[in-house]
Amino acid sequence: MPHDTPGSAGPLAGITIVALEQAVSAPMCTRVLADFGARVIKVENPKGGDFARDYDEVVNGLAAHFVWANRGKESITLDLKSTGGIDVLHRLLDRADALVSNLAPGAMARMGLSPAELSQRHPQVIPVEIDGYGTGGPLSHKRAYDLLVQAESGACAITGYPDMPAKPGPPVADISTGLYAALSIMALLIGRARQPSDAPAPAVAVSLFDTMTDIMGYPLTYTQHSGIDQQPLGMSSPAVSPYGAFPTRDGQTVVLGTTNDREWQRLAREIIDRPDLADDPRFATNSDRCASRDVLNDAIGTWCAQHDLAEIQQIADEAGIGNSRYNRPSEVIAHQHLKDRDRWRTVATPNGDISALLPPPVISGHELPMGAVPGLGEHTDAILGDMGLSAEDIAALREQGAIGPAYPTSQIPRAEQSNA
């Protein structure tokens, strides 16, 4: 299915992904694939589309979640409760390599899109279902959102402070599940070349709960073998000490960390000038230091309060001790390290151009494409035309309600909007 989006330049050029997706987890999966050059066709309900489009209006009238997780995609509006809409979806799948979904439990099966049914009708398509809790358990029927799964998996219990649990700021469950799903698709695409040509594609199921319990590997392993539920320590870690955030003389906050005994010795002797602590057998090992972290934090905090951030960081760098500055999001946006490394790019949206960070992978000789954020149904007519439907066919589908309204062609061009 030819197209002229930036995705055609990427290493996944020629791969087509059809997405029945909402919110963050599946959109993050397909955004990663789009960033690597796959063609992603986002199928949306004509009545509003992906509900993440309406979370807020802070990005020139668009939602921040949506523009972040949906660049590089094409949007087609289909009423999948209609015969015409389902027929168009199957015609899309005739040419697709994978179908990614994260709908409510049982929704795909009710539409005749279970892995078994897809294997019969579209054996080349890799069906990827992202759900909350996986199948076969007492929670399998439940809807699941990022916060709910973070709470269920124990992540909130190890975040925040004792008796003051917190949700980790980014939607870790959604993002990580999306990345696992994208990795699974890439692995199966590679493995496809080694399979018989008539072998149906394996199905993939990734749940937010399984992903989060995997990410909880260290605390679960620790508790499993110690019987101790570790308490959250704010901007510190129960695993190593000293390691935390300390106010500086000039009103900043520095984060200092050690990961082994040698680093502890350098921090004590070369930074805070406390050889007595370095020689004290109470702090000889990391386990010892974790047991006495309050004593060490007081000593480090007292020293940091007497020095400015720049001085602390210079001394720590010279001593080979890891350190950073505590930043708010507004400060990260203006971060010199991002600017000097040219990490910002311009991405088009229906309401004008915006700045977005490049994807994390830096691939020599190749920059991953970052396509436009689609308007609701923006590519419906073009996609249907690519499939061989005539203008009359498209008009008939629209009259039946199988597809959404025609996308406005009188919009201000995106490049002009950014200069308005």
Side-chain angles (χ1 to χ4, degrees):
M1 302 176 72
H3 64 114
D4 57 3
T5 66
S8 59
L12 287 181
I15 297 299
T16 297
I17 311 296
V18 175
L20 305 180
E21 58 183 21
Q22 304 276 5
V24 175
S25 58
M28 180 55 61
C29 166
T30 57
R31 196 210 79 178
V32 169
L33 299 173
D35 282 342
F36 278 103
R39 183 184 194 186
V40 175
I41 299 176
K42 184 180 180 78
V43 177
E44 300 191 71
N45 188 319
K47 299 177 181 179
D50 183 340
F51 54 69
R53 286 181 176 274
D54 299 319
Y55 279 171
D56 55 58
E57 298 179 345
V58 301
V59 187
N60 301 332
L62 305 174
H65 272 95
F66 188 84
V67 299
W68 162 59
N70 288 282
R71 65 170 179 253
K73 305 178 185 181
E74 300 169 62
S75 171
I76 180 173
T77 50
L78 297 179
D79 180 358
L80 296 182
K81 294 181 179 180
S82 71
T83 301
I86 284 289
D87 178 65
V88 170
L89 176 63
H90 280 293
R91 294 181 67 170
L92 288 173
L93 293 174
D94 285 338
R95 307 182 182 192
D97 297 281
L99 171 64
V100 177
S101 64
N102 67 331
L103 306 183
M108 295 295 285
R110 288 193 294 273
M111 291 189 291
L113 299 172
S114 68
E117 291 166 307
L118 287 167
S119 178
Q120 292 295 317
R121 187 163 180 177
H122 307 286
Q124 87 289 356
V125 170
I126 301 168
V128 181
E129 282 199 54
I130 295 174
D131 64 11
Y133 295 101
T135 60
L139 303 182
S140 298
H141 67 287
K142 295 176 71 68
R143 286 181 176 268
Y145 306 124
D146 184 85
L147 170 60
L148 307 180
V149 173
Q150 293 213 41
E152 193 78 41
S153 66
C156 294
I158 63 166
T159 308
Y161 294 90
D163 300 319
M164 296 178 63
K167 173 192 173 297
V172 180
D174 282 336
I175 295 170
S176 301
T177 304
L179 292 176
Y180 266 119
L183 180 61
S184 300
I185 291 171
M186 290 183 176
L188 290 175
L189 288 173
I190 293 172
R192 186 166 64 181
R194 304 186 183 97
Q195 301 297 322
S197 59
D198 58 349
V204 177
V206 188
S207 79
L208 275 71
F209 184 70
D210 290 345
T211 298
M212 281 308 300
T213 52
D214 180 57
I215 290 175
M216 286 284 291
Y218 161 71
L220 293 181
T221 301
Y222 185 95
T223 300
Q224 184 179 23
H225 293 277
S226 70
I228 299 170
D229 283 318
Q230 292 178 314
Q231 294 299 301
L233 298 172
M235 286 187 62
S236 186
S237 168
V240 292
S241 177
Y243 190 53
F246 305 94
T248 66
R249 182 171 61 187
D250 56 344
Q252 304 290 324
T253 298
V254 67
V255 181
L256 295 172
T258 60
T259 58
N260 55 60
D261 296 341
R262 294 184 303 277
E263 289 184 355
W264 155 242
Q265 289 291 319
R266 293 201 302 273
L267 187 150
R269 296 179 189 279
E270 300 176 31
I271 297 182
I272 66 174
D273 193 23
R274 291 293 302 271
D276 58 312
L277 296 179
D279 294 335
D280 194 322
R282 292 179 299 166
F283 313 125
T285 69
N286 181 62
S287 294
D288 295 332
R289 293 190 294 276
C290 286
S292 302
R293 67 174 71 248
D294 290 345
V295 176
L296 302 184
N297 287 345
D298 286 345
I300 297 169
T302 297
W303 183 84
C304 289
Q306 299 169 355
H307 298 79
D308 291 347
L309 174 68
E311 179 187 6
I312 295 171
Q313 291 198 279
Q314 180 179 351
I315 294 171
D317 285 342
E318 291 172 353
I321 297 300
N323 63 90
S324 69
R325 176 180 187 265
Y326 164 78
N327 288 312
R328 297 176 177 84
S330 56
E331 294 166 316
V332 176
I333 292 169
H335 207 298
Q336 196 66 36
H337 196 67
L338 295 174
K339 180 180 179 182
D340 287 355
R341 295 171 59 243
D342 193 26
R343 294 293 299 167
W344 292 99
R345 292 293 181 273
T346 298
V347 171
T349 82
N351 292 0
D353 292 349
I354 61 170
S355 294
L357 288 168
L358 279 166
V362 178
I363 302 174
S364 61
H366 185 84
E367 181 173 306
L368 296 182
M370 297 172 68
V373 177
L376 177 60
E378 179 177 354
H379 304 92
T380 300
D381 289 34
I383 292 171
L384 296 176
D386 284 349
M387 294 166 56
L389 274 70
S390 67
E392 291 76 15
D393 295 331
I394 296 171
L397 286 170
R398 188 157 281 133
E399 185 176 350
Q400 297 166 18
I403 62 178
Y407 192 74
T409 57
S410 59
Q411 285 192 327
I412 302 172
R414 294 182 178 192
E416 293 181 20
Q417 290 180 14
S418 63
N419 298 320

